[in-house]
Amino acid sequence: MTNIAQSGIARTGPDGLSIHTSGDARKRLARRYAAERRFRRLGLGAVLLAMGFLLLLLSTVVGKAIPAFTYTYAVLPLDLAGDKINHDDPLRSNFDAIVKAAIAEALPFAAGRKQRRAARGLISSGAAVILRDMVADDRALIGAPRAIGLPVSDTLDLYFKQLTAPRRSREPQGSATPSATSDKIHIAVEDGVIGSDEQFGRDAPSHLVFINGGVVKITGADGEGLQGDVLVPLQSTVPAAQGDWRLVTINQAESARKISDREIAYAEILNGMGLIERRFNAIFFTRGASREPEMAGVWGAVVGSFFTMLVTLALSFPLGVASAVYLEEVAPKNRWTQLIEVNINNLAAVPSIVFGLLGLAVFLNFFGLPRSAPVAGGMVLALMTLPTIIIASRAALGAVPPSIREGALGIGASRMQTVFHHVLPLAMPGILTGTILGVARALGETAPLLMIGMVAFIVDIPGGALQPATVLPVQIYMWADFPEPGFQQKTAAAILVLLGFLVVMNAFAVVMRRRFERRW
Amino acid sequence: MASTYLALLIGFALAAYFAGARRAVALSAGNPASLHSRPAYHGFYAAILATAPGFAVLIGWWLFGGRVLDRIVGARFQVLLSAMSGPQQQAFIRDARNLAGGIVYGEPTPEKEAAAALYRSLFASTDIVLGLILAALAALGLVLALRTITARRRTRHFVERFVRGVLIACSVVAILTTIGIVLSLIFESLRFFQKVPFLDFLFGTHWSPQSAFVGAGGDGEIDAGVFGAVPLFAGTLLITLIAMLVATPIGLLAAIYLSDYASSKFRAVAKPVLEILAGVPTVVYGFFAALSVAPVIRRLGDGMGLSVSSESALAAGLVMGIMIIPFVSSLSDDIINSVPQALRDGSAGLGATKSETIRKVVLPAALPGIVSAMLLAVSRAVGELAAFALGLVLFCMTLALNVIALGVVARYRERYD
């Protein structure tokens, strides 16, 4: 018996304790428990990391997108009654000249060529178009001078949103006395406002002094004060007390940014006059694509996406449900139906761009469908969504218990009557859920649409499924490539719109699944 | 015009339905039981006979009519077209057709105006002919239907056979799609390989297809040397590798945690959140990569004294990895859940901790499934990276990966009952 005991059944350690209670065993156990805890934490960490990625993704997009939902407008008094209005046909009026005149009135000192150009550059080059559209909507605007908000240029908008030209404003010690009101002047200030070792010029940070209603760009500093060029004429040469003048330092060199010191000075003067307003960015939600960031809107792409999804749904839903009904309810189980099944499962795994190749070769080149039109795009996406819908529909049909079919057949219904009167209605919630998920995926798809020319630059808002259009994801793809910084915000905002649609569709699918889910 | 005809046909189908149903009711002479099929089936019978041929003609015309007209116009302008290159001919025809439809690009030449005028007259005459054909077919069908409807006519059988045919036709679309994909890939690839030798493509080390077509639109010489696929494959492999390095551990660990450790409340929140990650479109990830990840990596690289391109494979791979985390985790989750509880209970009975059970029992049992899940994830990653000139190679690659994945599963699947 001792033999058996020693050979392992009730083995004891060298210290006479059981192997489960010896010090070594305790250490081993502690190690194993530690490994257990480590593993568990690792798993939790992985889940949290994945959720963190999602949070980071969403916060990046939302953070970038929020500025794009508002836009900076300059409210200028426009002369909508004068000789620039064509009273016979108001839409043919010279709106550009009206805008120019309004700018000139607001900034009367901007008289030279250079100054006029800078002043004109403050307002979007599309302002005249917007004004014309406003008049087209409401002819009553014509006939009296009116203050109307016009969008500023995209760089100025970024400037007011603090997204370009980082700057710091301070009110230095002591008073300041300008020597003149225009051209090159000298401002007597206490020593040390700007260090004498400071660099000046186009490649160094800019310093602007706002004093006596004017703006001076500092070009040099010495022990007695500052030298500078007047950008906006001063109203007087009286000394400005401490607190009545301020120094704005723009840390980015003028050559490294898109907005010049002169434009900043003019913009700040307009802002001081209370003419600058931040408003809801209606342009973004009502207009089509544009090369100018301030004129670019997402509406054209939304409408294009709508038509494309309409075509996709109209084709893939009936086709998908019909094939699912055939395969699940009608077809005999033979080689032929097996071939179809394998095909469908394989199609579900084909990369989406391959469907684009198919669409290019068949729909565009063979059948000659119009390029960039929602019909072609919708057909390609319908083929892509089809396997998803078929698989979901078959699962839903399969979940309907056989007793329903047997009951219907038992009281004399034909096979078709059984399917269409009893099985299909019961499976409908599941089928619809699968369809919504499939269409949501199609809504976010870019690659196949690139293949059939839906990347075209289309300004007009499409009026039907046969007209050239672009869709939201492709618009995002295009905007993401544009170099203007204004488009970065637009891209993020368009992504937010797209994600909004996707979330609504998915939430709808989830709610429907919950509401109609039936356990047999 | 085609949409008008479509609406008219649908309206006519409704009218035929009511006419057929009424005819059946009239034939029953107040005793509905004397009919073989219910009146509705007689209505469907009449509607099918009256409009199904019309719908077929309309669809056929819609698919092929444009090509026929293009041929006619091409034949009329043969002298002009024969002086042009292939793409120019296509552009001429397309512009003329668009011009006739009212879409003007640029300044149309007089020849294009003439072709557009021809198109317009053709459109007008074919519309009339099409309308006449549709009307004749509909009238004939309706007369035939109303004449053949009798009380004993088995219209339900007819309608059900018709519906069955429609169902079969719908399910054949899946096969047609596959055939279409394979054929279009083969033909496009053959055309491509006529211009670019196959070996140059497969083993060439220079990829810049944009520079190949200097005289865009023309039939100019194509520099075959810039279609080397090696850089593309190397890039794809590198990015996929990085993506899998990110996605495999995170996705697998997340799946294990969610299936074996998490409380049901936590799971109810975490699973949909992971699924949102899967629902975010690829473009959004691209934007995220370019805007957030690439600059961070670049700064990190600069900090370590390395110069990192702002379009690095590392950034692309990382974001791609994030993108396929939910894919890996949901597939692994299914597979881990399918390992029978008895194996876990046995392991726990022997005194193993939960993590030991998972590492030494569950994972080995689930391994083939997990491997195939990873391969599927790779095939999705490769698919997303697709460059279009590589369609066939891509299709073959994903198909091969799918087949391998299925093979692995079939070979190593252990059945527990």
Side-chain angles (χ1 to χ4, degrees):
Chain A
M1 285 310 266
T2 44
N3 239 357
I4 295 170
Q6 277 167 357
S7 69
I9 289 180
R11 215 166 34 175
T12 52
D15 50 357
L17 293 164
S18 149
I19 56 160
H20 297 301
T21 48
S22 70
D24 275 359
R26 280 173 203 285
K27 264 187 219 155
R28 220 163 31 235
L29 200 60
R31 217 167 41 234
R32 286 172 62 203
Y33 282 168
E36 168 74 21
R37 279 194 299 275
R38 241 186 353 256
F39 191 74
R40 193 192 163 114
R41 271 191 223 121
L42 216 57
L44 185 62
V47 176
L48 293 182
L49 195 63
M51 288 165 103
F53 281 141
L54 182 68
L55 208 65
L56 182 68
L57 179 79
L58 289 184
S59 60
T60 308
V61 170
V62 171
K64 283 274 173 199
I66 282 174
F69 286 117
T70 57
Y71 201 80
T72 312
Y73 285 77
V75 184
L76 296 177
L78 297 174
D79 177 20
L80 289 174
D83 54 352
K84 292 182 191 79
I85 291 288
N86 181 340
H87 287 280
D88 300 327
D89 185 0
L91 294 186
R92 299 185 76 118
S93 309
N94 192 348
F95 291 109
D96 206 37
I98 294 173
V99 173
K100 266 188 192 148
I103 298 169
E105 198 180 323
L107 302 169
F109 43 81
R113 205 181 142 84
K114 207 156 93 190
Q115 285 86 340
R116 271 212 311 272
R117 173 128 42 92
R120 179 66 189 85
L122 296 178
I123 305 294
S124 161
S125 53
V129 178
I130 299 227
L131 193 58
R132 183 178 174 280
D133 289 355
M134 277 183 184
V135 170
D137 284 346
D138 181 11
R139 301 270 171 136
L141 283 176
I142 298 283
R146 266 167 221 280
I148 289 180
L150 296 174
V152 301
S153 74
D154 64 316
T155 36
L156 191 57
D157 176 59
L158 293 175
Y159 172 82
F160 278 121
K161 286 173 180 163
Q162 309 275 351
L163 292 169
T164 185
R167 55 198 178 273
R168 189 163 48 93
S169 177
R170 62 195 170 103
E171 287 170 355
Q173 294 283 320
S175 63
T177 314
S179 66
T181 59
S182 59
D183 295 328
K184 290 190 186 303
I185 65 167
H186 180 268
I187 305 173
V189 292
E190 281 182 20
D191 198 13
V193 170
I194 295 177
S196 50
D197 54 345
E198 185 77 35
Q199 297 286 313
F200 296 96
R202 278 185 62 77
D203 298 319
S206 300
H207 303 275
L208 301 180
V209 171
F210 289 76
I211 183 169
N212 292 352
V215 184
V216 182
K217 178 183 177 169
I218 303 305
T219 52
D222 53 39
E224 287 142 29
L226 311 166
Q227 295 106 33
D229 296 334
V230 173
L231 295 178
V232 175
L234 283 56
Q235 277 154 12
S236 67
T237 54
V238 296
Q242 180 179 347
D244 285 348
W245 65 287
R246 62 198 171 94
L247 175 71
V248 173
T249 304
I250 299 149
N251 292 326
Q252 208 174 9
E254 194 176 8
S255 59
R257 54 184 141 91
K258 283 190 136 184
I259 186 164
S260 70
D261 287 339
R262 187 180 299 280
E263 284 168 335
I264 291 177
Y266 287 177
E268 289 292 350
I269 290 296
L270 285 180
N271 199 9
M273 288 154 72
L275 296 179
I276 299 292
E277 269 179 28
R278 187 86 87 83
R279 293 186 188 170
F280 174 70
N281 192 353
I283 294 175
F284 179 71
F285 289 100
T286 53
R287 298 189 80 92
S290 171
R291 284 280 170 209
E292 306 287 330
E294 66 268 25
M295 295 289 288
V298 83
W299 186 243
V302 169
V303 173
S305 269
F306 171 77
F307 282 123
T308 310
M309 287 305 115
L310 211 62
V311 174
T312 303
L313 199 61
L315 284 175
S316 62
F317 182 68
L319 276 177
V321 175
S323 356
V325 166
Y326 178 71
L327 290 175
E328 193 69 23
E329 302 288 334
V330 184
K333 300 277 172 263
N334 58 19
R335 267 207 190 148
W336 174 242
T337 46
Q338 238 175 5
L339 177 73
I340 299 180
E341 274 194 59
V342 170
N343 252 311
I344 288 167
N345 291 335
N346 198 33
L347 278 183
V350 166
S352 59
I353 196 163
V354 174
F355 286 99
L357 287 170
L358 172 74
L360 177 67
V362 175
F363 296 144
L364 295 193
N365 290 348
F366 187 75
F367 288 132
L369 285 185
R371 212 165 274 270
S372 336
V375 206
M379 284 168 86
V380 168
L381 292 181
L383 288 186
M384 200 191 82
T385 337
L386 207 51
T388 320
I389 295 182
I390 295 178
I391 290 169
S393 304
R394 290 192 63 178
L397 288 169
V400 176
S403 58
I404 303 270
R405 293 183 191 89
E406 284 152 11
L409 291 170
I411 56 167
S414 73
R415 193 165 271 282
M416 287 292 167
Q417 284 169 332
T418 307
V419 171
F420 285 100
H421 296 177
H422 301 278
V423 182
L424 199 55
L426 288 173
M428 225 11 141
I431 294 176
L432 288 179
T433 311
T435 308
I436 293 173
L437 293 179
V439 171
R441 194 188 143 205
L443 179 61
E445 202 56 69
T446 325
L449 298 180
L450 297 184
M451 297 300 307
I452 55 163
M454 287 195 90
V455 272
F457 179 73
I458 288 138
V459 181
D460 294 330
I461 294 172
L466 285 167
Q467 287 173 16
T470 189
V471 294
L472 261 178
V474 177
Q475 187 74 76
I476 292 166
Y477 174 86
M478 282 160 73
W479 278 352
D481 267 0
F482 284 174
E484 287 91 344
F487 273 118
Q488 237 179 47
Q489 274 76 36
K490 297 261 159 175
T491 313
I495 286 177
L496 215 53
V497 172
L498 179 62
L499 286 183
F501 276 119
L502 291 181
V503 166
V504 167
M505 287 170 88
N506 283 307
F508 190 65
V510 169
V511 167
M512 214 157 75
R513 191 156 47 190
R514 286 265 168 83
R515 189 149 160 56
F516 292 102
E517 196 172 47
R518 212 189 285 205
R519 298 240 170 255
W520 302 96
Chain B
M1 205 60 198
S3 51
T4 318
Y5 286 146
L6 194 67
L8 283 177
L9 266 183
I10 291 171
F12 192 73
L14 268 176
Y17 170 84
F18 285 114
R22 277 182 68 157
R23 170 109 181 117
V25 172
L27 281 173
S28 72
N31 177 18
S34 69
L35 292 173
H36 169 271
S37 307
R38 294 167 63 204
Y41 284 103
H42 289 92
F44 282 126
Y45 171 74
I48 290 169
L49 278 190
T51 54
F55 279 120
V57 167
L58 204 57
I59 290 172
W61 175 250
W62 193 59
L63 288 179
F64 296 100
R67 285 177 73 77
V68 175
L69 292 191
D70 288 352
R71 283 279 164 80
I72 296 174
V73 174
R76 191 75 62 87
F77 286 83
Q78 204 178 13
V79 185
L80 183 74
L81 288 177
S82 56
M84 294 183 184
S85 65
Q88 277 175 326
Q89 285 175 3
Q90 283 171 14
F92 178 85
I93 294 283
R94 193 172 57 233
D95 285 352
R97 197 185 326 120
N98 284 333
L99 204 57
I103 308 168
V104 186
Y105 297 116
E107 282 290 306
T109 60
E111 290 86 4
K112 275 184 194 165
E113 294 275 15
L118 180 59
Y119 262 115
R120 246 175 260 131
S121 72
L122 281 174
F123 282 153
S125 50
T126 50
D127 272 346
I128 294 170
V129 173
L130 193 62
L132 287 177
I133 292 176
L134 290 179
L137 280 176
L140 262 175
L142 188 62
V143 168
L144 183 69
L146 292 181
R147 286 197 142 190
T148 50
I149 287 178
T150 59
R152 300 309 302 161
R153 186 152 195 99
R154 301 180 164 195
T155 51
R156 181 170 64 77
H157 291 198
F158 176 85
V159 172
E160 288 186 354
R161 270 203 306 277
F162 182 79
V163 169
R164 192 191 161 93
V166 170
L167 293 184
I168 292 177
C170 288
S171 59
V172 165
V173 169
I175 293 194
L176 289 183
T177 310
T178 309
I179 295 173
I181 286 177
V182 171
L183 285 185
S184 64
L185 286 180
I186 287 176
F187 282 124
E188 293 292 320
S189 306
L190 280 182
R191 262 175 45 192
F192 176 72
F193 287 126
Q194 274 171 2
K195 301 255 162 77
V196 181
F198 183 69
L199 290 179
D200 283 5
F201 168 72
L202 212 52
F203 298 109
T205 54
H206 184 67
W207 174 262
S208 59
Q210 288 88 348
S211 62
F213 309 101
V214 181
D219 228 4
E221 279 300 298
I222 288 174
D223 177 10
V226 296
F227 285 105
V230 169
L232 212 58
F233 282 127
T236 305
L237 276 181
L238 187 62
I239 291 175
T240 310
L241 194 72
I242 296 169
M244 292 316 288
L245 284 180
V246 174
T248 310
I250 296 180
L252 198 54
L253 281 172
I256 290 170
Y257 185 80
L258 287 181
S259 68
D260 281 19
Y261 284 107
S263 67
S264 62
K265 256 187 191 165
F266 184 77
R267 192 162 41 225
V269 176
K271 272 201 118 172
V273 169
L274 283 187
E275 277 163 18
I276 293 179
L277 216 48
V280 174
T282 322
V283 267
V284 178
Y285 282 108
F287 181 71
F288 179 59
L291 212 67
S292 307
V293 181
V296 169
I297 288 176
R298 198 173 166 163
R299 238 170 290 142
L300 273 180
D302 287 346
M304 289 186 290
L306 303 166
S307 76
V308 182
S309 150
S310 54
E311 288 164 357
S312 60
L314 193 57
L318 277 178
V319 172
M320 176 84 64
I322 295 174
M323 199 171 81
I324 54 178
I325 286 174
F327 204 66
V328 173
S329 79
S330 76
L331 281 173
S332 312
D333 193 34
D334 291 346
I335 293 154
I336 289 171
N337 275 332
S338 71
V339 173
Q341 189 61 30
L343 285 184
R344 287 168 226 245
D345 294 347
S347 170
L350 288 172
T353 63
K354 228 172 181 179
S355 66
E356 285 163 352
T357 305
I358 291 167
R359 274 182 310 198
K360 309 226 162 108
V361 178
V362 177
L363 282 188
L367 191 64
I370 290 172
V371 168
S372 74
M374 299 306 149
L375 287 175
L376 284 177
V378 169
S379 92
R380 165 139 195 230
V382 172
E384 293 295 350
L385 286 170
F388 56 86
L390 297 171
L392 186 65
V393 179
L394 192 73
F395 188 73
C396 295
M397 254 166 98
T398 51
L399 196 66
L401 281 173
N402 282 330
V403 169
I404 292 172
L406 293 177
V408 168
V409 176
R411 176 126 188 232
Y412 295 102
R413 167 169 290 165
E414 303 186 25
R415 295 203 173 274
Y416 309 99
D417 279 313

